[in-house]
Amino acid sequence: SIFSLEIVVFTIGRSGYVFGFFFWLDLLSTLTLVLDITTIAEVLFGDSISNLSTNNSGGSLGSGGSNSAEAGRAARVSRAGTKAGRVVRLIRLVRLIRLLKIAKKSTAYKGEGDGA
């Protein structure tokens, strides 16, 4: 993905990036993107809500209420994780755009020096 490419570019282009705080943050966030793929997440963590509803079908009313509460908690946690992921991706995108602007200024500055 483009985030893996970003890590490679930063590693080559920025001194002190490798094994620094942002290196580990970028690496961790890039690796966790794999967990956003539904099939991988289901294999690793299972699909407990769907399994509970199929196992308890025809059960008492109390079990349906607990499934509903569990589904509600899972939905809230999912929304919080999604928001956190979006924030991290936005920060990484802003950093990438800033790096591109600095690279453009650097090449423009070198171009001015060659014309004299």
Side-chain angles (χ1 to χ4, degrees):
S1 105
I2 193 162
F3 296 117
S4 301
L5 179 65
E6 176 194 12
I7 292 174
V8 171
V9 169
F10 273 133
T11 301
I12 294 169
R14 181 178 277 181
S15 63
Y17 175 74
V18 179
F19 303 118
F21 173 75
F22 286 108
F23 172 80
W24 293 113
L25 181 68
D26 290 342
L27 186 66
L28 180 66
S29 60
T30 301
L31 291 175
T32 58
L33 286 175
V34 174
L35 300 176
D36 286 343
I37 301 170
T38 305
T39 54
I40 293 175
E42 286 177 355
V43 168
L44 291 176
F45 306 115
D47 191 8
S48 63
I49 294 174
S50 295
N51 290 339
L52 284 174
S53 65
T54 57
N55 290 341
N56 290 332
S57 60
S60 67
L61 292 175
S63 65
S66 67
N67 286 342
S68 177
E70 183 178 337
R73 280 191 296 269
R76 285 191 297 275
V77 170
S78 174
R79 283 192 297 270
T82 301
K83 287 179 184 179
R86 286 180 187 155
V87 169
V88 169
R89 290 178 189 145
L90 181 64
I91 290 170
R92 292 180 73 195
L93 183 63
V94 169
R95 286 179 51 217
L96 183 62
I97 290 171
R98 191 175 69 201
L99 178 69
L100 290 174
K101 286 182 180 180
I102 291 171
K104 280 186 180 181
K105 282 184 182 180
S106 176
T107 56
Y109 180 72
K110 288 180 184 178
E112 290 175 5
D114 294 338

